Amino acid sequence: MKSRIYFMTFTIIIGILSLNTALASIVTDGLVSYWTFDKGYIVNDTVKDIWGDNNGTISGKPKVVPGQVGEALEFDGVDDFVNLTTLGDLGGQIGTSSFEAWIKTTNKTDWMTLINTHGMESPCWGIELNGFNRRNRFEIMEGTLHYFLSIGGPIGCAGSGIKWSMGIFDGEWHHIVYTNDYMINEGGGSRKIIIYIDGVSDLISNHEFRRGNKAFSPFTAPVHLGARKFPGKAHGHFTGMIDEVRFYNRPLTAREVIQNFESTEPYHIAPKGKLSTVWAALKTKL
C-alpha cells in the first residue's frame, strides 16, 4: 500500500514538472526582461517585467487585445508607447544580445518605430519601419524595415544600419528576432547581425572595423517600445499590435529562435520553484 502511495506521488510530481516545462517552453538562458502584455501583468499604467526588474510604464491608452500568445497591446499610432526603462546595464551588453517581439500591422506607408533608445551618449539602437530618421531628417521608404546600432568612441557615436523591403505589413502576426554579435578589440573588431522573420534568418550582416576605440555602455535614455523619443517629444508612433517582448544578453541561436517562434502557451511563472512546497504538502498526507 505504501509503495503504491509513493508511486502515485512520483507520478504527480512528474506531471507537475511536465506542466512547468510546457508552460515555460521559451528559452530562458540569458533572458534579461520579458513583457507578456497579458492583462494579468498590467496594473494601471505599469507593465510587469515577469522575468527581470524592468517594469514598463504605459504612455497614452494602448488597448489590451487578443495577441499571438495570450493578450497583446494595440498601439494607435498617435500617442501610445511603453517606456521600458534604461534596462539596467543591458546597454553595455547590447553588442551581444537579442531583441524579440511579435507584431501585427497593416501600416506600410507611415514611418514608425518598433523599438528605440537614443541618449546623449552611445549606444543608440533600434528598429524602424517604413523609413528612417537620419540626423532628424525623415526619409520615407514604404514597406521596409531599418535597424541601427551605434557604438561609442573618443569621437562620439558611430554606427550603421540596413534597410530592406519586408512582407510583414499584411495584418498577420509576425515574429521578429534581432541578434547582435560584436567582437571588439584594441585595433577594431567585427560584428554579425542576424534578423529572423517568422523563424527564418531573413538578413545576415557581417562587418569588420579597424579604427576607433569603440565600446558599449549602459543606455543613458529609456528604451521606448512603439515610439522614438529623441529629442524630447515622442514621434514615429507604432500603429498595430505588439506582443511577447523579450531581451536576452546573448545572441539566440537559429534553433532557439525556432523554439520561441513555436511557443504558443502563455508563460506562467507562478509554479516555478514551487516543487519543494508541493512535495512538503504531499508528505503530510502520506
Side-chain angles (χ1 to χ4, degrees):
M1 179 67 180
K2 195 170 184 179
S3 61
R4 180 179 297 179
I5 293 175
Y6 279 120
F7 176 77
M8 291 176 63
T9 302
F10 178 76
T11 302
I12 292 171
I13 292 173
I14 292 299
I16 293 171
L17 286 173
S18 299
L19 177 62
N20 286 343
T21 301
L23 291 171
S25 59
I26 66 160
V27 175
T28 57
D29 181 19
L31 183 60
V32 173
S33 287
Y34 178 11
W35 303 269
T36 67
F37 299 133
D38 293 345
K39 60 184 177 182
Y41 296 111
I42 300 177
V43 179
N44 297 323
D45 292 333
T46 299
V47 179
K48 175 69 176 176
D49 175 0
I50 69 168
W51 190 264
D53 300 318
N54 301 304
N55 291 345
T57 302
I58 292 174
S59 182
K61 295 182 179 180
K63 299 177 182 178
V64 178
V65 297
Q68 172 65 16
V69 180
E71 283 88 39
L73 283 184
E74 183 176 16
F75 298 76
D76 64 5
V78 177
D79 59 0
D80 294 344
F81 66 89
V82 181
N83 180 331
L84 298 179
T85 79
T86 57
L87 302 181
D89 63 351
L90 182 64
Q93 306 172 59
I94 202 70
T96 51
S97 67
S98 299
F99 165 76
E100 177 179 7
W102 283 91
I103 71 168
K104 182 177 182 180
T105 184
T106 57
N107 175 25
K108 62 179 180 179
T109 59
D110 300 322
W111 173 73
M112 59 184 183
T113 300
L114 175 56
I115 190 84
N116 172 262
T117 187
H118 200 325
M120 296 303 294
E121 301 176 4
S122 292
C124 48
W125 171 89
I127 298 176
E128 299 172 341
L129 304 172
N130 303 322
F132 71 109
N133 178 16
R134 184 188 299 274
R135 297 173 182 161
N136 292 325
R137 290 171 50 194
F138 298 93
E139 182 176 345
I140 300 298
M141 292 170 290
E142 297 181 4
T144 63
L145 182 151
H146 172 242
Y147 75 85
F148 57 92
L149 174 60
S150 299
I151 55 180
I155 59 173
C157 280
S160 62
I162 291 183
K163 48 191 176 296
W164 80 109
S165 298
M166 297 296 303
I168 57 175
F169 304 92
D170 55 2
E172 301 294 334
W173 283 105
H174 293 284
H175 184 242
I176 296 178
V177 179
Y178 170 15
T179 69
N180 294 312
D181 192 0
Y182 275 69
M183 296 183 63
I184 300 176
N185 53 52
E186 187 173 342
S190 63
R191 72 156 190 250
K192 182 177 183 180
I193 295 175
I194 305 177
I195 293 186
Y196 298 85
I197 305 295
D198 296 336
V200 178
S201 57
D202 201 271
L203 177 80
I204 300 176
S205 173
N206 288 286
H207 177 70
E208 292 186 1
F209 47 89
R210 295 186 179 180
R211 64 187 184 91
N213 190 14
K214 302 176 186 299
F216 292 100
S217 58
F219 294 130
T220 58
V223 174
H224 286 83
L225 181 76
R228 183 180 180 120
K229 195 172 184 182
F230 179 82
K233 184 179 180 181
H235 49 278
H237 291 85
F238 185 86
T239 303
M241 303 175 191
I242 303 177
D243 195 10
E244 301 294 296
V245 174
R246 293 185 276 264
F247 281 100
Y248 293 84
N249 62 10
R250 65 179 183 85
L252 293 176
T253 66
R255 180 174 294 182
E256 289 170 331
V257 170
I258 288 292
Q259 180 177 336
N260 284 358
F261 172 65
E262 293 179 345
S263 176
T264 58
E265 293 293 330
Y267 188 78
H268 182 51
I269 62 171
K272 190 173 67 174
K274 302 300 184 182
L275 180 58
S276 58
T277 304
V278 174
W279 174 247
L282 288 171
K283 285 180 67 177
T284 62
K285 297 180 180 181
L286 296 180

